[in-house]
Amino acid sequence: MLLKHLIVSLLFACSWHWIVCAEASDGGQFDRGKLDGREDVQPYLREADPSKVWVLDRRFSDEFDARRIDRSKWITDMRPWGERAWSSDNLRLSSGSLFIRARYAPHRHRGNEYFYKLGILQSQQKTTYGYFEARIKGCSRFPGLCPAFWLYSNGREKNPKYPKVTYSEIDIVEMLQGVWDSDKEEFTSPNHIDCNLHTRVLDESGKEVWVRPQHLPEVCKHEFDAPWDPRDEYHVYACENTPEKITWYIDGEKVAEEENLYWHLPMSVTLTMELRPPLIAWAGQDGRVPVPSESTREGFPTEMAVDYVRCWVREMD
């Protein structure tokens, strides 16, 4: 009997060791599990800073285990923004994940013709500094769509410490964009991932001007070429925003860091599907317009999947 107990204990220990090693080395594919009411879970980091203790902020966190989306926490039906026709019927919960859909749906809005409808999940409340993490699997169609996890302000709320900043946007991850690489003179492949910054500021004359990756790439443009395809498996995408700097992480590894010059406004935590070329062109009042000749049913509907979104604030001494 004693020998039997020893064998069982040894097998249990070996199994636990294998699970821990798998979590540490699988590139984010290991299922981190659900919180189940726990408040002590910390961000997924390969080399966590022991001086930082994080407190889960449930206003911006969700395990997506419920039967319905929590409307007291999330906005799912927003007014169309040009070709970004977001509607709540493009979101669903299933098997502990959120699925955000893009579908072919020709329609007219304000006299203009559009061809697709998309899904958005946006927090009811806003936040600025903290650690923001989501476990996401990209959609099947490429090119033409961009699954994204991002923070952005609506331009109404200001921070008196930064009076010249009128808009803040932190793209934690934009995937499958298929953007033009001017150095290689080709479009980027599916494993290309962007972690960009956008802002609007007042210039010396008081005029509001955009600052974007194309305007200030040394500050706003950050790229990561993954050794895997984001359409195949779930991966963990995260960002820490502090008054001093912004740091991006993928599967617990730091991939980019930038001085925080303009990203200090209250922002919404947002998950979306958005259109990209060739289905749209960069032009027009909204910054993008549909391309009727490229509109197609092929590859639609398609969905990005979100296992969870978790956001933390620092526990200060």
PDB file of all heavy atoms in Angstrom, residues 18-33 44 135 234 236 307-308:
ATOM      1  N   TRP A  18       4.917  18.862 -15.610  1.00  0.00           N
ATOM      2  CA  TRP A  18       4.706  18.952 -17.058  1.00  0.00           C
ATOM      3  C   TRP A  18       3.766  20.092 -17.399  1.00  0.00           C
ATOM      4  O   TRP A  18       3.983  20.845 -18.343  1.00  0.00           O
ATOM      5  CB  TRP A  18       4.114  17.647 -17.562  1.00  0.00           C
ATOM      6  CG  TRP A  18       3.875  17.688 -19.050  1.00  0.00           C
ATOM      7  CD1 TRP A  18       4.764  17.427 -20.036  1.00  0.00           C
ATOM      8  CD2 TRP A  18       2.653  18.040 -19.705  1.00  0.00           C
ATOM      9  NE1 TRP A  18       4.184  17.590 -21.268  1.00  0.00           N
ATOM     10  CE2 TRP A  18       2.896  17.967 -21.092  1.00  0.00           C
ATOM     11  CE3 TRP A  18       1.387  18.410 -19.257  1.00  0.00           C
ATOM     12  CZ2 TRP A  18       1.908  18.252 -22.025  1.00  0.00           C
ATOM     13  CZ3 TRP A  18       0.408  18.688 -20.186  1.00  0.00           C
ATOM     14  CH2 TRP A  18       0.677  18.598 -21.544  1.00  0.00           C
ATOM     15  N   ILE A  19       2.688  20.266 -16.597  1.00  0.00           N
ATOM     16  CA  ILE A  19       1.729  21.343 -16.852  1.00  0.00           C
ATOM     17  C   ILE A  19       2.392  22.697 -16.696  1.00  0.00           C
ATOM     18  O   ILE A  19       2.242  23.592 -17.527  1.00  0.00           O
ATOM     19  CB  ILE A  19       0.517  21.220 -15.899  1.00  0.00           C
ATOM     20  CG1 ILE A  19      -0.302  19.984 -16.273  1.00  0.00           C
ATOM     21  CG2 ILE A  19      -0.344  22.470 -15.950  1.00  0.00           C
ATOM     22  CD1 ILE A  19      -1.399  19.668 -15.282  1.00  0.00           C
ATOM     23  N   VAL A  20       3.153  22.900 -15.612  1.00  0.00           N
ATOM     24  CA  VAL A  20       3.823  24.171 -15.385  1.00  0.00           C
ATOM     25  C   VAL A  20       4.802  24.465 -16.500  1.00  0.00           C
ATOM     26  O   VAL A  20       4.878  25.585 -17.017  1.00  0.00           O
ATOM     27  CB  VAL A  20       4.539  24.161 -14.013  1.00  0.00           C
ATOM     28  CG1 VAL A  20       5.410  25.401 -13.860  1.00  0.00           C
ATOM     29  CG2 VAL A  20       3.511  24.075 -12.886  1.00  0.00           C
ATOM     30  N   CYS A  21       5.579  23.470 -16.922  1.00  0.00           N
ATOM     31  CA  CYS A  21       6.531  23.678 -18.010  1.00  0.00           C
ATOM     32  C   CYS A  21       5.809  24.008 -19.314  1.00  0.00           C
ATOM     33  O   CYS A  21       6.264  24.833 -20.089  1.00  0.00           O
ATOM     34  CB  CYS A  21       7.388  22.431 -18.203  1.00  0.00           C
ATOM     35  SG  CYS A  21       8.584  22.169 -16.875  1.00  0.00           S
ATOM     36  N   ALA A  22       4.669  23.348 -19.546  1.00  0.00           N
ATOM     37  CA  ALA A  22       3.912  23.638 -20.765  1.00  0.00           C
ATOM     38  C   ALA A  22       3.452  25.076 -20.778  1.00  0.00           C
ATOM     39  O   ALA A  22       3.525  25.767 -21.787  1.00  0.00           O
ATOM     40  CB  ALA A  22       2.709  22.692 -20.864  1.00  0.00           C
ATOM     41  N   GLU A  23       2.978  25.589 -19.636  1.00  0.00           N
ATOM     42  CA  GLU A  23       2.518  26.974 -19.574  1.00  0.00           C
ATOM     43  C   GLU A  23       3.658  27.932 -19.826  1.00  0.00           C
ATOM     44  O   GLU A  23       3.477  29.003 -20.408  1.00  0.00           O
ATOM     45  CB  GLU A  23       1.879  27.256 -18.213  1.00  0.00           C
ATOM     46  CG  GLU A  23       1.331  28.669 -18.101  1.00  0.00           C
ATOM     47  CD  GLU A  23       0.542  28.881 -16.838  1.00  0.00           C
ATOM     48  OE1 GLU A  23       0.567  28.003 -15.963  1.00  0.00           O
ATOM     49  OE2 GLU A  23      -0.090  29.935 -16.735  1.00  0.00           O
ATOM     50  N   ALA A  24       4.829  27.575 -19.415  1.00  0.00           N
ATOM     51  CA  ALA A  24       5.969  28.477 -19.552  1.00  0.00           C
ATOM     52  C   ALA A  24       6.590  28.445 -20.933  1.00  0.00           C
ATOM     53  O   ALA A  24       7.359  29.321 -21.280  1.00  0.00           O
ATOM     54  CB  ALA A  24       7.038  28.106 -18.514  1.00  0.00           C
ATOM     55  N   SER A  25       6.267  27.440 -21.756  1.00  0.00           N
ATOM     56  CA  SER A  25       7.032  27.302 -22.990  1.00  0.00           C
ATOM     57  C   SER A  25       6.194  27.127 -24.246  1.00  0.00           C
ATOM     58  O   SER A  25       6.732  26.967 -25.320  1.00  0.00           O
ATOM     59  CB  SER A  25       7.948  26.080 -22.865  1.00  0.00           C
ATOM     60  OG  SER A  25       7.186  24.894 -22.720  1.00  0.00           O
ATOM     61  N   ASP A  26       4.859  27.203 -24.161  1.00  0.00           N
ATOM     62  CA  ASP A  26       4.072  26.842 -25.334  1.00  0.00           C
ATOM     63  C   ASP A  26       3.721  28.028 -26.213  1.00  0.00           C
ATOM     64  O   ASP A  26       2.912  27.883 -27.116  1.00  0.00           O
ATOM     65  CB  ASP A  26       2.790  26.137 -24.898  1.00  0.00           C
ATOM     66  CG  ASP A  26       1.770  27.141 -24.354  1.00  0.00           C
ATOM     67  OD1 ASP A  26       2.194  28.158 -23.786  1.00  0.00           O
ATOM     68  OD2 ASP A  26       0.576  26.900 -24.520  1.00  0.00           O
ATOM     69  N   GLY A  27       4.281  29.208 -25.979  1.00  0.00           N
ATOM     70  CA  GLY A  27       3.997  30.341 -26.838  1.00  0.00           C
ATOM     71  C   GLY A  27       2.588  30.865 -26.695  1.00  0.00           C
ATOM     72  O   GLY A  27       2.038  31.449 -27.616  1.00  0.00           O
ATOM     73  N   GLY A  28       1.947  30.687 -25.518  1.00  0.00           N
ATOM     74  CA  GLY A  28       0.635  31.244 -25.289  1.00  0.00           C
ATOM     75  C   GLY A  28      -0.502  30.306 -25.623  1.00  0.00           C
ATOM     76  O   GLY A  28      -1.663  30.644 -25.420  1.00  0.00           O
ATOM     77  N   GLN A  29      -0.216  29.109 -26.140  1.00  0.00           N
ATOM     78  CA  GLN A  29      -1.282  28.209 -26.545  1.00  0.00           C
ATOM     79  C   GLN A  29      -1.863  27.443 -25.356  1.00  0.00           C
ATOM     80  O   GLN A  29      -2.961  26.926 -25.427  1.00  0.00           O
ATOM     81  CB  GLN A  29      -0.763  27.237 -27.597  1.00  0.00           C
ATOM     82  CG  GLN A  29      -0.310  27.945 -28.858  1.00  0.00           C
ATOM     83  CD  GLN A  29       0.352  27.004 -29.824  1.00  0.00           C
ATOM     84  OE1 GLN A  29       0.095  25.817 -29.819  1.00  0.00           O
ATOM     85  NE2 GLN A  29       1.228  27.531 -30.657  1.00  0.00           N
ATOM     86  N   PHE A  30      -1.116  27.371 -24.255  1.00  0.00           N
ATOM     87  CA  PHE A  30      -1.609  26.708 -23.058  1.00  0.00           C
ATOM     88  C   PHE A  30      -2.786  27.497 -22.490  1.00  0.00           C
ATOM     89  O   PHE A  30      -2.755  28.704 -22.406  1.00  0.00           O
ATOM     90  CB  PHE A  30      -0.493  26.620 -22.018  1.00  0.00           C
ATOM     91  CG  PHE A  30      -0.911  25.927 -20.749  1.00  0.00           C
ATOM     92  CD1 PHE A  30      -0.914  24.553 -20.661  1.00  0.00           C
ATOM     93  CD2 PHE A  30      -1.298  26.660 -19.653  1.00  0.00           C
ATOM     94  CE1 PHE A  30      -1.283  23.915 -19.492  1.00  0.00           C
ATOM     95  CE2 PHE A  30      -1.678  26.035 -18.487  1.00  0.00           C
ATOM     96  CZ  PHE A  30      -1.669  24.658 -18.406  1.00  0.00           C
ATOM     97  N   ASP A  31      -3.858  26.805 -22.137  1.00  0.00           N
ATOM     98  CA  ASP A  31      -5.040  27.465 -21.605  1.00  0.00           C
ATOM     99  C   ASP A  31      -4.766  27.891 -20.168  1.00  0.00           C
ATOM    100  O   ASP A  31      -4.608  27.056 -19.284  1.00  0.00           O
ATOM    101  CB  ASP A  31      -6.233  26.504 -21.659  1.00  0.00           C
ATOM    102  CG  ASP A  31      -7.540  27.176 -21.273  1.00  0.00           C
ATOM    103  OD1 ASP A  31      -7.496  28.324 -20.797  1.00  0.00           O
ATOM    104  OD2 ASP A  31      -8.585  26.539 -21.444  1.00  0.00           O
ATOM    105  N   ARG A  32      -4.721  29.198 -19.927  1.00  0.00           N
ATOM    106  CA  ARG A  32      -4.408  29.692 -18.588  1.00  0.00           C
ATOM    107  C   ARG A  32      -5.532  29.430 -17.601  1.00  0.00           C
ATOM    108  O   ARG A  32      -5.353  29.577 -16.403  1.00  0.00           O
ATOM    109  CB  ARG A  32      -4.120  31.196 -18.642  1.00  0.00           C
ATOM    110  CG  ARG A  32      -2.894  31.555 -19.454  1.00  0.00           C
ATOM    111  CD  ARG A  32      -2.555  33.017 -19.282  1.00  0.00           C
ATOM    112  NE  ARG A  32      -2.229  33.291 -17.897  1.00  0.00           N
ATOM    113  CZ  ARG A  32      -2.344  34.490 -17.347  1.00  0.00           C
ATOM    114  NH1 ARG A  32      -2.813  35.486 -18.051  1.00  0.00           N
ATOM    115  NH2 ARG A  32      -2.011  34.688 -16.099  1.00  0.00           N
ATOM    116  N   GLY A  33      -6.694  29.076 -18.101  1.00  0.00           N
ATOM    117  CA  GLY A  33      -7.794  28.779 -17.201  1.00  0.00           C
ATOM    118  C   GLY A  33      -8.592  30.021 -16.841  1.00  0.00           C
ATOM    119  O   GLY A  33      -8.163  31.148 -17.055  1.00  0.00           O
ATOM    120  N   TYR A  44       0.145  37.679 -17.337  1.00  0.00           N
ATOM    121  CA  TYR A  44       0.940  36.584 -17.882  1.00  0.00           C
ATOM    122  C   TYR A  44       2.256  37.158 -18.394  1.00  0.00           C
ATOM    123  O   TYR A  44       2.303  37.750 -19.473  1.00  0.00           O
ATOM    124  CB  TYR A  44       0.149  35.910 -19.007  1.00  0.00           C
ATOM    125  CG  TYR A  44       0.859  34.782 -19.700  1.00  0.00           C
ATOM    126  CD1 TYR A  44       1.667  33.877 -19.007  1.00  0.00           C
ATOM    127  CD2 TYR A  44       0.690  34.584 -21.069  1.00  0.00           C
ATOM    128  CE1 TYR A  44       2.287  32.834 -19.653  1.00  0.00           C
ATOM    129  CE2 TYR A  44       1.316  33.540 -21.732  1.00  0.00           C
ATOM    130  CZ  TYR A  44       2.108  32.668 -21.020  1.00  0.00           C
ATOM    131  OH  TYR A  44       2.720  31.637 -21.667  1.00  0.00           O
ATOM    132  N   ARG A 135      -6.500  37.169 -24.553  1.00  0.00           N
ATOM    133  CA  ARG A 135      -6.061  35.963 -25.253  1.00  0.00           C
ATOM    134  C   ARG A 135      -6.934  35.806 -26.491  1.00  0.00           C
ATOM    135  O   ARG A 135      -8.157  35.604 -26.383  1.00  0.00           O
ATOM    136  CB  ARG A 135      -6.172  34.750 -24.327  1.00  0.00           C
ATOM    137  CG  ARG A 135      -5.550  33.467 -24.876  1.00  0.00           C
ATOM    138  CD  ARG A 135      -5.443  32.422 -23.771  1.00  0.00           C
ATOM    139  NE  ARG A 135      -4.834  31.197 -24.265  1.00  0.00           N
ATOM    140  CZ  ARG A 135      -5.529  30.123 -24.659  1.00  0.00           C
ATOM    141  NH1 ARG A 135      -6.850  30.126 -24.608  1.00  0.00           N
ATOM    142  NH2 ARG A 135      -4.911  29.052 -25.097  1.00  0.00           N
ATOM    143  N   TYR A 234      -4.663  30.509 -30.239  1.00  0.00           N
ATOM    144  CA  TYR A 234      -4.780  31.642 -29.329  1.00  0.00           C
ATOM    145  C   TYR A 234      -3.385  32.092 -28.894  1.00  0.00           C
ATOM    146  O   TYR A 234      -2.496  31.264 -28.659  1.00  0.00           O
ATOM    147  CB  TYR A 234      -5.558  31.253 -28.074  1.00  0.00           C
ATOM    148  CG  TYR A 234      -7.053  31.150 -28.242  1.00  0.00           C
ATOM    149  CD1 TYR A 234      -7.644  29.930 -28.578  1.00  0.00           C
ATOM    150  CD2 TYR A 234      -7.880  32.246 -28.033  1.00  0.00           C
ATOM    151  CE1 TYR A 234      -9.021  29.816 -28.705  1.00  0.00           C
ATOM    152  CE2 TYR A 234      -9.255  32.150 -28.162  1.00  0.00           C
ATOM    153  CZ  TYR A 234      -9.827  30.930 -28.494  1.00  0.00           C
ATOM    154  OH  TYR A 234     -11.185  30.826 -28.618  1.00  0.00           O
ATOM    155  N   VAL A 236      -1.503  35.440 -26.319  1.00  0.00           N
ATOM    156  CA  VAL A 236      -1.788  36.456 -25.307  1.00  0.00           C
ATOM    157  C   VAL A 236      -1.136  37.774 -25.720  1.00  0.00           C
ATOM    158  O   VAL A 236       0.087  37.848 -25.870  1.00  0.00           O
ATOM    159  CB  VAL A 236      -1.288  36.013 -23.922  1.00  0.00           C
ATOM    160  CG1 VAL A 236      -1.563  37.101 -22.879  1.00  0.00           C
ATOM    161  CG2 VAL A 236      -1.964  34.702 -23.508  1.00  0.00           C
ATOM    162  N   ASP A 307     -10.673  34.527 -25.740  1.00  0.00           N
ATOM    163  CA  ASP A 307     -10.848  33.640 -24.587  1.00  0.00           C
ATOM    164  C   ASP A 307     -11.167  34.441 -23.334  1.00  0.00           C
ATOM    165  O   ASP A 307     -12.018  34.057 -22.531  1.00  0.00           O
ATOM    166  CB  ASP A 307      -9.574  32.811 -24.393  1.00  0.00           C
ATOM    167  CG  ASP A 307      -9.673  31.846 -23.234  1.00  0.00           C
ATOM    168  OD1 ASP A 307     -10.777  31.320 -22.997  1.00  0.00           O
ATOM    169  OD2 ASP A 307      -8.666  31.616 -22.551  1.00  0.00           O
ATOM    170  N   TYR A 308     -10.468  35.551 -23.149  1.00  0.00           N
ATOM    171  CA  TYR A 308     -10.727  36.434 -22.009  1.00  0.00           C
ATOM    172  C   TYR A 308     -10.098  37.792 -22.282  1.00  0.00           C
ATOM    173  O   TYR A 308      -9.218  37.939 -23.138  1.00  0.00           O
ATOM    174  CB  TYR A 308     -10.165  35.853 -20.704  1.00  0.00           C
ATOM    175  CG  TYR A 308      -8.654  35.733 -20.659  1.00  0.00           C
ATOM    176  CD1 TYR A 308      -7.834  36.846 -20.446  1.00  0.00           C
ATOM    177  CD2 TYR A 308      -8.021  34.503 -20.824  1.00  0.00           C
ATOM    178  CE1 TYR A 308      -6.446  36.742 -20.414  1.00  0.00           C
ATOM    179  CE2 TYR A 308      -6.638  34.389 -20.799  1.00  0.00           C
ATOM    180  CZ  TYR A 308      -5.864  35.513 -20.594  1.00  0.00           C
ATOM    181  OH  TYR A 308      -4.490  35.407 -20.565  1.00  0.00           O
TER     182      TYR A 308
END
